[in-house]
Amino acid sequence: MKLAAPPLLLLLLLLAVLGFCWGRQHHDNDEDDEPELLVQPSRFGSLWPLPQKVQLSRDALKLTGLSFRIVDGKESTVGASCALLQNAYRRYYEYIFGSPKRQGLYKSRRAAPPELTELQVVITSTDSECDAYPSVNSDESYELSVNRSSAILKAPKVWGALHGLETFSQLVYEDEHGAKTINATVISDFPRFAYRGILLDSSRHFLPVQVLLANLETMAMNKINVFHWHIVDDPSFPYLSRTFPQLSQQGAYHPYTHVYTPADVKMVIEFARLRGIRVIPEFDTPGHTQSWGKGQKDLLTPCYSGSTPSGSFGPVNPILNTTYDFMKAFFKEVSTVFPDAYVHLGGDEVDFTCWRTNPDIQRFMEQHSFGKDYSKLESFYIQKLLDIVGGTNKGYIIWQEVFDNGVKLKADTIIHVWKGNQQQYQSEMANVTSAGYKTLLSTPWYLNRISYGQDWHVHYKADPQDFTGTAEQKKLVIGGEACLWGEYVDGTNLTPRLWPRASAVAERLWSAKDVTNLGDAYNRLSAHRCRMVERGIAAEPLFVSSCPREYRGI
């Protein structure tokens, strides 16, 4: 005889079941485009970003650490004297044979597949640029062929060879017996956009040099080629200037422990160069300069309360000759320290409140017939600054406000778009390119903005050429940049917040425009994220999953 359950117990059980079902439905609806957990591997394995043309076969070749070598091909225009390539050969050899197990795409049925003993790297141009710095005009293309008889990587310049080595390393996996394996493959590849950047902010929180280097290493794994170093801002001035050492002595969080010495900066630039990455510093003025004023007297505008100084300071003082004398000397130094052809001059978010209170500024406005339009005063300052920087033979990148305020700009100025929603930034891109200026997009790629769920989808779907404009206008879009501002980011959380979300931006800027399949991207990016983890990068997971080897920390 069955005992009847008490009515209260039945009611509680019913409510529990209904609550569980509602909870699952409610949770699932939070993320209505989550990929299925049980997915088939992509036919492209773990390639990221996806090359332009890929032909994969089932022919498997074995690699062993004892016999495999990466060597200069006989036809190459460079040899052992190219330290950049020799450095890369060692690095990728260690990636291939020092990294843990990877999931194979094609597994040979043969017990002992043929062995691949070397990868020949052939630089085809007489000017390899081995000792040069990468630039916006660098040729990053390469061709990779792997078959039973040979593996050959050809590239006009060393920059393409670096990308090809990364791709080759991504093709290597471990078969079910633990043997290093690669399938016969033919790849022809080049980036869709010349500028593929990441901004890191080292002012709001100081970022140790080792953190910067680790992320440069990860950028190379994702074929990102520009490090936009937002090195100083309101909170601190960690750049140690030889010409004006008092700027960091007074403006850094600490004058010894929280500064980038000339040796540090040189190390970062060379480490980046060896990985095909440009380093573009940003020294943002006239706003975002509170830390500058601590070490440079009379640089900032005194604010007033009524007819007396309030004791606080606003943006750079644009009416003093000493301001421009300082800027000329400072940017002369910057131009010699940072070898890239461009410097980012900022120009965003200038608060006019302090300028409005200052009687000297008010008189200057009257004398120059600026009326009450303080954007004209901003333009007055910016134009003088641009002339100063132009005199150092540097090109410049500026945030969109400078363009929006009608400042006279050189034809080769790059406008950096960062404001607004999708409709607004697309309109801005159309306006900038219709005026004939080259442009970069960052608006949809502010990675400091985080949310629950897979926000990489949004980053992946955004395209810098999706705006109304002519084909000629679209050609003026040279790329884009993911930004990680530092209000809530330091060395403890920078890497997992940045990766693999920045990888989504990397593929959008490298791969063909029609590479948009979210399911395929999820499968490849999950595997790529595990590869970064296996290489010691604390990249956060995309969703529920596991890696063959989990992150072990340091």
Side-chain angles (χ1 to χ4, degrees):
M1 178 179 177
K2 292 183 179 180
L3 295 175
L8 179 60
L9 179 59
L10 285 174
L11 179 61
L12 290 174
L13 287 172
L14 179 61
L15 289 174
V17 170
L18 290 174
F20 173 76
C21 294
W22 179 88
R24 282 186 58 86
Q25 180 183 12
H26 180 74
H27 176 76
D28 292 343
N29 286 342
D30 283 345
E31 199 64 37
D32 57 8
D33 57 352
E34 293 285 11
E36 294 292 333
L37 289 180
L38 299 176
V39 293
Q40 295 299 317
S42 167
R43 66 188 182 94
F44 298 113
S46 61
L47 288 174
W48 195 277
L50 188 67
Q52 300 289 336
K53 296 181 181 179
V54 185
Q55 295 179 8
L56 300 169
S57 82
R58 294 181 180 272
D59 288 342
L61 304 167
K62 183 176 67 174
L63 298 83
T64 65
L66 291 175
S67 61
F68 182 80
R69 297 291 181 269
I70 304 175
V71 300
D72 298 309
K74 294 180 180 179
E75 300 176 0
S76 181
T77 58
V78 301
S81 62
C82 182
L84 180 146
L85 285 182
Q86 299 303 319
N87 181 296
Y89 297 166
R90 290 191 295 272
R91 186 165 69 251
Y92 280 99
Y93 179 89
E94 291 176 2
Y95 279 158
I96 293 168
F97 295 103
S99 59
K101 186 173 183 178
R102 302 189 183 112
Q103 178 64 43
L105 173 59
Y106 299 111
K107 296 178 180 179
S108 172
R109 296 178 180 177
R110 304 185 183 189
E115 185 173 354
L116 182 68
T117 59
E118 67 178 22
L119 169 64
Q120 297 181 27
V121 179
V122 178
I123 304 300
T124 59
S125 172
T126 54
D127 180 13
S128 68
E129 299 185 3
C130 186
D131 297 319
Y133 289 92
S135 74
V136 71
N137 298 315
S138 291
D139 188 337
E140 300 177 274
S141 65
Y142 68 92
E143 294 181 351
L144 176 63
S145 174
V146 180
N147 56 47
R148 286 174 172 265
S149 60
S150 65
I152 299 176
L153 168 60
K154 289 186 176 181
K157 308 286 186 179
V158 293
W159 320 118
L162 292 174
H163 296 316
L165 287 167
E166 174 61 36
T167 298
F168 181 87
S169 74
Q170 293 183 6
L171 290 169
V172 177
Y173 61 92
E174 287 187 2
D175 68 12
E176 64 269 33
H177 303 295
K180 296 289 182 180
T181 309
I182 190 170
N183 292 93
T185 307
V186 177
I187 289 176
S188 178
D189 201 12
F190 54 88
R192 180 181 168 206
F193 292 103
Y195 189 114
R196 308 175 305 281
I198 283 180
L199 177 151
L200 297 182
D201 170 9
S202 61
S203 172
R204 290 172 175 87
H205 283 96
F206 180 78
L207 301 176
V209 171
Q210 287 305 118
V211 172
L212 299 180
L213 299 184
N215 280 279
L216 287 168
E217 189 78 30
T218 317
M219 287 167 63
M221 297 176 195
N222 291 271
K223 299 184 173 68
I224 291 174
N225 69 346
V226 178
F227 171 33
H228 174 174
W229 193 353
H230 188 86
I231 193 167
V232 301
D233 207 295
D234 281 329
S236 73
F237 197 105
Y239 172 75
L240 202 168
S241 166
R242 282 195 171 104
T243 311
F244 301 99
Q246 71 275 13
L247 289 171
S248 60
Q249 288 173 359
Q250 302 296 321
Y253 286 127
H254 190 281
Y256 305 130
T257 61
H258 285 62
V259 296
Y260 301 108
T261 67
D264 292 334
V265 173
K266 186 176 181 180
M267 180 194 304
V268 168
I269 292 170
E270 180 61 11
F271 190 93
R273 186 189 78 86
L274 292 174
R275 287 152 183 80
I277 298 170
R278 301 163 60 195
V279 178
I280 298 179
E282 180 182 354
F283 293 94
D284 190 0
T285 67
H288 293 280
T289 48
Q290 290 298 301
S291 65
W292 299 53
K294 295 177 181 179
Q296 185 64 23
K297 184 180 178 182
D298 297 329
L299 180 64
L300 303 185
T301 304
C303 306
Y304 277 68
S305 176
S307 59
T308 58
S310 65
S312 61
F313 295 87
V316 165
N317 193 331
I319 69 172
L320 300 180
N321 291 333
T322 53
T323 292
Y324 302 103
D325 293 337
F326 165 80
M327 291 297 175
K328 185 174 183 179
F330 181 76
F331 280 102
K332 181 179 179 181
E333 175 189 319
V334 168
S335 71
T336 61
V337 171
F338 293 91
D340 198 84
Y342 284 85
V343 60
H344 203 302
L345 297 177
D348 63 315
E349 297 182 320
V350 181
D351 187 348
F352 299 148
T353 304
C354 183
W355 281 353
R356 290 191 183 101
T357 68
N358 185 290
D360 295 329
I361 297 284
Q362 293 169 6
R363 281 191 292 271
F364 186 88
M365 294 281 288
E366 293 174 4
Q367 292 168 2
H368 288 76
S369 301
F370 290 165
K372 299 296 183 180
D373 187 354
Y374 285 85
S375 66
K376 292 181 179 179
L377 180 60
E378 178 190 11
S379 296
F380 174 86
Y381 167 81
I382 291 288
Q383 286 176 350
K384 281 183 168 291
L385 180 66
L386 297 183
D387 289 341
I388 287 170
V389 175
T392 67
N393 295 317
K394 291 285 189 185
Y396 39 77
I397 306 171
I398 45 89
W399 295 110
Q400 69 181 74
E401 287 98 321
V402 180
F403 169 81
D404 294 341
N405 289 340
V407 176
K408 184 179 179 181
L409 301 170
K410 291 194 302 183
D412 64 345
T413 301
I414 298 173
I415 313 298
H416 197 162
V417 174
W418 71 278
K419 297 178 70 175
N421 57 31
Q422 182 176 4
Q423 182 179 0
Q424 289 168 331
Y425 78 68
Q426 288 176 341
S427 176
E428 183 78 5
M429 297 288 282
N431 291 338
V432 170
T433 54
S434 66
Y437 292 109
K438 293 179 180 178
T439 185
L440 297 168
L441 178 65
S442 280
T443 310
W445 298 320
Y446 266 43
L447 302 187
N448 48 289
R449 297 170 180 159
I450 58 175
S451 61
Y452 185 82
Q454 299 199 56
D455 57 356
W456 71 272
H457 292 179
V458 179
H459 308 321
Y460 191 76
K461 292 175 182 177
D463 192 294
Q465 288 185 334
D466 282 350
F467 61 88
T468 302
T470 66
E472 291 303 313
Q473 284 179 256
K474 302 294 179 74
K475 290 179 182 178
L476 291 172
V477 180
I478 64 171
E481 190 172 275
C483 299
L484 190 66
W485 297 98
E487 287 87 349
Y488 304 98
V489 176
D490 67 3
T492 65
N493 65 342
L494 183 148
T495 299
R497 185 163 294 189
L498 188 58
W499 306 104
R501 296 160 75 230
S503 301
V505 183
E507 178 153 292
R508 179 57 49 237
L509 296 175
W510 178 283
S511 304
K513 183 178 177 64
D514 61 0
V515 177
T516 56
N517 186 301
L518 271 178
D520 184 75
Y522 173 80
N523 298 336
R524 287 184 293 107
L525 186 53
S526 294
H528 179 56
R529 177 256 168 179
C530 283
R531 176 168 48 238
M532 289 191 283
V533 167
E534 291 161 0
R535 291 179 179 182
I537 306 302
E540 70 179 15
L542 296 178
F543 193 48
V544 180
S545 64
S546 68
C547 291
R549 301 270 180 93
E550 297 293 351
Y551 182 70
R552 301 299 183 188
I554 56 175

